Amino acid sequence: MKLRSKAAALLLLALAALLLALLSLRAGRSEPPASPGHPASAPQRHPAPLPARPPGSRALPGARPRAPRRRPPRPRPRAGRRGAGSLDKLARRPGQLRSVHAVLPPELWIHLAVVACGNRLEETLVMLKSAVLFSHRKIQFHIFTEDSLKPEFDKQLRQWPDSYTKKFEHRIYPITFSVGNPQEWKKLFKPCAAQRLFLPVILKDVDSLLYVDTDVLFLRPVDDIWKLLRQFNSTQLAAMAPEHEIPKIGWYSRFARHPFYGSAGVNSGVMLMNLTRIRSTQFKNSMTRTGLAWEDMLYPLYQAYRDAITWGDQDLLNIIFYFNPERLYLFPCQWNYRPDHCMYGSNCREAEREGVSVLHGNRGVYHDDKQPTFKALYEAMRDFPFQDNLFQSMYYPLQLKFLETVHTLCGRIPQVFLKQIEKTMRRAYEKHVIIHVGPDHTH
Ligand SMILES: *[C@@H]1O[C@H](CO)[C@@H](O)[C@H](O)[C@H]1NC(C)=O
Ligand SMILES: *[C@@H]1O[C@H](CO)[C@@H](O)[C@H](O)[C@H]1NC(C)=O
């Protein structure tokens, strides 16, 4: 961008900020601050949950916000001095969601896969929402699910507003297992979970893929994790985070009766894969002296370790990368941040430094009260009215909810959870301003 247009944009920004500051003085007078005793305004938007539905399903992401727009209480942001005031100003700029994404040829799309069975519909939709909300590129969703859930996925995704639907396309696939006994695969760990092992075989036309569990939330653009593909060296073909940061108290080192990757094993809830490479590689293994192709290896491996594995397909992945460690890119814990990283004290350094990038609420923590910090993030994302201002309708309610979590170890480090989301919102906002205010519409 040229210097002159940048200066013009800055000038405009300053003017807007001044105007907003004046406006907010007036608005502030007419509205008493809310007491922290009544934290999130979001739940109040949906006053009467229907008793027939399971808890948590009252605000399906597909549902448009119905309730009257109330300005949520606005606490002073705690995260970082650098922007408390300007964050406040940003909060009053509507429409930063209309960010422009570049028109890209299909080969530059991000491919995101998820396997959703049972009662994971809402959770999956919230995950997809978080992906679309912040991403700059177009995303191709590959949703693997039971026949009974397919119509609901279709319906809900089509109900999203245009500004979202134009950023993704979705394909829905049945659960299929190409080798071995389908019933046996289905029973492994959780219904359908073993499906992820077959993605390289099923998605033959896809070069690279990000697979995530349904209980994952993106707190920054998916583009950022996708970029890690470029960091693979010539032998690496998949990336995962360690199962635990402190190997000696991690599950694998204490209990596993099978080989596993590294000293703590890997967690397969967030998995970035170059499928082209996976399909063209011969993997070392314990059964044959020669390598085996991915597809040919899965069932023999399963049979060989069937009685030793506890966590199903994740254990198989650990076994595979135990024999082929040079094929794995180990990414830091901020890309797969779980309750384990804070519930006994904070142990994920990268998240302390950079903030959580991808949240993984395993152990069902979005749906019970064991880890209210995780639940607060889930509900903030779920209840965010699609078109609203991110600061007002997500960030501030979230901060208020966090105030109620300080009695937990995870709740004592709110900045770890908020850092990336704050940065992401700021970036989304700036992008919007530069594109819409800047005189030249290039980017
Ligand atoms: C995946 O690997 C193939 C083969 O090495 C390579 O041509 C392709 O560019 C890689 N894809 C990405 C996104 O890096
Ligand atoms: C790629 O990185 C892995 C893990 O750090 C390493 O084991 C492997 O030797 C590297 N491959 C090459 C070709 O350098």
Side-chain angles (χ1 to χ4, degrees), residues 4-184:
R4 219 163 5 115
S5 48
K6 207 168 189 169
L10 279 175
L11 189 65
L12 264 169
L13 247 178
L15 280 174
L18 192 66
L19 197 67
L20 285 165
L22 284 173
L23 282 174
S24 72
L25 276 180
R26 291 182 47 198
R29 233 180 286 141
S30 62
E31 210 179 330
S35 86
H38 296 284
S41 60
Q44 290 160 16
R45 289 212 178 96
H46 315 280
L50 297 176
R53 292 201 201 154
S57 71
R58 78 196 127 87
L60 283 172
R64 304 281 181 120
R66 292 150 274 170
R69 287 276 218 77
R70 286 174 64 251
R71 183 193 283 264
R74 208 182 301 119
R76 187 163 283 282
R78 285 173 294 165
R81 273 169 311 245
R82 102 191 115 85
S86 65
L87 275 184
D88 236 22
K89 282 165 209 151
L90 299 190
R92 275 157 239 148
R93 294 286 303 213
Q96 79 267 47
L97 265 185
R98 270 180 284 130
S99 86
V100 173
H101 52 275
V103 181
L104 287 168
E107 66 269 19
L108 290 179
W109 286 31
I110 290 168
H111 290 261
L112 179 65
V114 64
V115 182
C117 291
N119 56 0
R120 300 303 186 115
L121 177 78
E122 179 193 85
E123 195 175 86
T124 307
L125 286 164
V126 178
M127 179 277 288
L128 297 173
K129 181 184 185 182
S130 75
V132 178
L133 181 59
F134 299 131
S135 97
H136 305 303
R137 289 210 218 172
K138 282 208 178 191
I139 311 180
Q140 174 75 57
F141 293 154
H142 302 273
I143 303 168
F144 292 81
T145 191
E146 297 159 307
D147 294 342
S148 58
L149 291 182
K150 182 181 186 308
E152 200 56 26
F153 267 115
D154 267 328
K155 188 173 137 218
Q156 302 254 354
L157 288 172
R158 283 180 215 290
Q159 280 174 359
W160 288 6
D162 283 353
S163 58
Y164 281 69
T165 51
K166 71 182 184 202
K167 284 173 76 179
F168 72 89
E169 281 179 13
H170 73 280
R171 282 187 213 144
I172 299 182
Y173 308 75
I175 306 291
T176 49
F177 298 95
S178 53
V179 292
N181 176 350
Q183 285 316 317
E184 215 168 350

Side-chain angles (χ1 to χ4, degrees), residues 81 102 157 185 194 204 258 313 316 363 372 375 396:
R81 273 169 311 245
L157 288 172
W185 286 119
K204 284 207 165 59
H258 58 79
D313 52 332
L316 288 184
R363 306 165 179 252
K375 191 180 188 181
Y396 292 152

Side-chain angles (χ1 to χ4, degrees), residues 233-236 326:
N233 68 21
S234 61
T235 48
Q236 288 162 336
E326 73 285 2

